[in-house]
Amino acid sequence: MEKLINIQNLSYGFSQNKLILKNVSLSVPKGSIFGFLGANGAGKSTTMKVMLGNLPDENNTVEIFNQKLSELYPHGFQKIGSLIDSPAFYDHLSGWDNLIILSRLRDLPDSECERVLNLVDLWESRKMKTKKYSLGMKQRLAIAMTLLGNPELLILDEPVNGLDPNGMLEIRELLLKLNKEQGITIFISSHLLQEVEKMVTHLAIISHGVIKFSGSVEELNKHYRHNHIRVGLNNASLFTQHIPEYYSAKIIDENTLEVTVQSKEDIIKLTKLLVTNNAEIFEIRNSAGLEDWFMEITKN
C-alpha cells in the first residue's frame, strides 16, 4: 500500500536531555483515516508541527508524497490542508468573506469557496457572521478552509475537542465523507479515543514522546485484543454450571457472563452449548475496546 507520510526516527526537543519526541517512526497509507492518539502533552502537536515545517526537521526524518520537507516546500504544500491548534477567524465577517480572503491570497477562484462550503454543509449559513456560528459550525468552517485548493492530505489537530456530542457527530460524518467520496487521506490527532475509534482505519499511539503502537486497526486487534467476550443472556447464573472451566466463566450481572476464548471456534462451541441448555442469548460482544487497549499499551 502506497505511503503518503513516512517518518523515520524523528527526535525533537530543546536539548538531548529534554526531548519531546524520541525516535518517532510511523507510516500513513494513502486513502486512510489515520488516528494519532495520545494524552495531552504526549507529543502529538509537536509531531504535526514538524510534519508541516512549523518546527525544524533537522535530520530530514519526514517524507510526505515521497519527498523530504525541504524538497516539498513551498509548492508541494498546496496539496496539504492543515488545522493545528484553534482555528482563527475574522469574527466580524461572514463565513463566506473569511473564505474569500484566503482564496484571494492563494489566487484561487471564488468558486472554490462555494465548493468547500457545500462540502461542509455551510452554504446556507455563508452570510452569517462567524461570531454567531456555533462551535461545530466554526470547526466545519475551519475544515472548509483546509479544503481550499483540493488537497490530497488533511492534517487535523484535535478537530473535535470541545464539541458537544452532536458537533462531534457532524465532524465525524464530514471526515468520513471526505475520505470516502473525495478520496482524501486524513491524519487526525486526538485524545478522545471513543470518538476516533468510530472512524479510523490506521492509528499510532504515542506516550511521553514514544510511539507505543503503529499500524492498522486489524493489527491492533490481533496483537492486543483481550480474549474476553461478554455473553448477554437471561438468568446468567443458571448456566455457569454447564460451561467448562476452560472458559473461566464469570458472572458480571444478572444477564451477563464474561468468558475467555482463544478463537472463534471457542465462541461457536460455547454458543452451541448454551443454546443446547436452553439459554436465551441476546448479545455476544468483545469486552475490550480502543480505550482498554490504549491503557494497556501506554502502561506497558
Side-chain angles (χ1 to χ4, degrees), residues 23-56:
N23 293 317
V24 167
S25 296
L26 54 87
S27 295
V28 178
K30 184 177 182 180
S32 65
I33 300 181
F34 192 99
F36 192 38
L37 312 180
N40 290 328
K44 302 188 301 297
S45 294
T46 301
T47 303
M48 298 169 89
K49 287 176 180 177
V50 173
M51 288 164 58
L52 290 166
N54 295 349
L55 295 174

Side-chain angles (χ1 to χ4, degrees), residues 213-231:
F213 173 85
S214 183
S216 67
V217 172
E218 288 78 10
E219 288 171 322
L220 179 69
N221 290 345
K222 180 179 178 182
H223 292 294
Y224 290 98
R225 181 184 292 277
H226 293 286
N227 295 324
H228 301 310
I229 63 167
R230 291 195 174 180
V231 181

Side-chain angles (χ1 to χ4, degrees), residues 17-242:
N17 297 324
K18 292 185 178 181
L19 289 177
I20 301 170
L21 304 176
K22 304 160 191 174
N23 293 317
V24 167
S25 296
L26 54 87
S27 295
V28 178
K30 184 177 182 180
S32 65
I33 300 181
F34 192 99
F36 192 38
L37 312 180
N40 290 328
K44 302 188 301 297
S45 294
T46 301
T47 303
M48 298 169 89
K49 287 176 180 177
V50 173
M51 288 164 58
L52 290 166
N54 295 349
L55 295 174
D57 178 24
E58 295 176 346
N59 295 317
N60 289 317
T61 59
V62 179
E63 285 187 1
I64 303 179
F65 302 117
N66 294 315
Q67 290 181 288
K68 301 290 186 185
L69 293 186
S70 56
E71 302 166 354
L72 191 65
Y73 184 83
H75 300 295
F77 279 87
Q78 298 292 332
K79 298 189 291 183
I80 303 172
S82 64
L83 176 60
I84 306 295
D85 298 325
S86 300
F89 308 107
Y90 295 105
D91 281 344
H92 63 290
L93 297 179
S94 67
W96 172 261
D97 287 337
N98 270 276
L99 284 170
I100 284 291
I101 290 169
L102 280 180
S103 64
R104 298 274 170 85
L105 285 171
R106 295 178 57 183
D107 292 323
L108 296 171
D110 292 358
S111 59
E112 262 299 279
C113 300
E114 181 177 351
R115 182 185 72 84
V116 298
L117 280 170
N118 278 305
L119 271 178
V120 302
D121 200 25
L122 282 178
W123 178 249
E124 299 300 324
S125 306
R126 66 190 182 282
K127 295 180 181 179
M128 186 189 301
K129 290 185 178 180
T130 53
K131 64 183 176 184
K132 295 183 179 179
Y133 277 21
S134 67
L135 275 176
M137 292 171 72
K138 286 181 177 179
Q139 204 66 13
R140 281 188 281 146
L141 180 61
I143 292 174
M145 291 174 169
T146 70
L147 292 170
L148 288 169
N150 271 312
E152 297 176 34
L153 169 65
L154 288 187
I155 298 177
L156 307 175
D157 188 14
E158 301 275 5
V160 296
N161 199 20
L163 299 182
D164 61 20
N166 189 58
M168 290 183 184
L169 176 63
E170 289 178 355
I171 298 300
R172 182 172 80 241
E173 290 179 343
L174 170 60
L175 296 179
L176 286 168
K177 181 175 79 169
L178 292 172
N179 177 254
K180 291 179 180 178
E181 296 179 11
Q182 306 290 317
I184 298 174
T185 303
I186 300 172
F187 185 97
I188 173 174
S189 78
S190 186
H191 65 277
L192 302 173
L193 306 179
Q194 290 181 331
E195 186 59 30
V196 170
E197 185 177 13
K198 297 170 185 173
M199 60 179 152
V200 299
T201 59
H202 297 73
L203 68 153
I205 293 173
I206 186 169
S207 178
H208 301 291
V210 177
I211 296 293
K212 298 292 188 177
F213 173 85
S214 183
S216 67
V217 172
E218 288 78 10
E219 288 171 322
L220 179 69
N221 290 345
K222 180 179 178 182
H223 292 294
Y224 290 98
R225 181 184 292 277
H226 293 286
N227 295 324
H228 301 310
I229 63 167
R230 291 195 174 180
V231 181
L233 73 169
N234 293 328
N235 302 310
S237 60
L238 298 178
F239 298 94
T240 53
Q241 59 183 317
H242 301 297

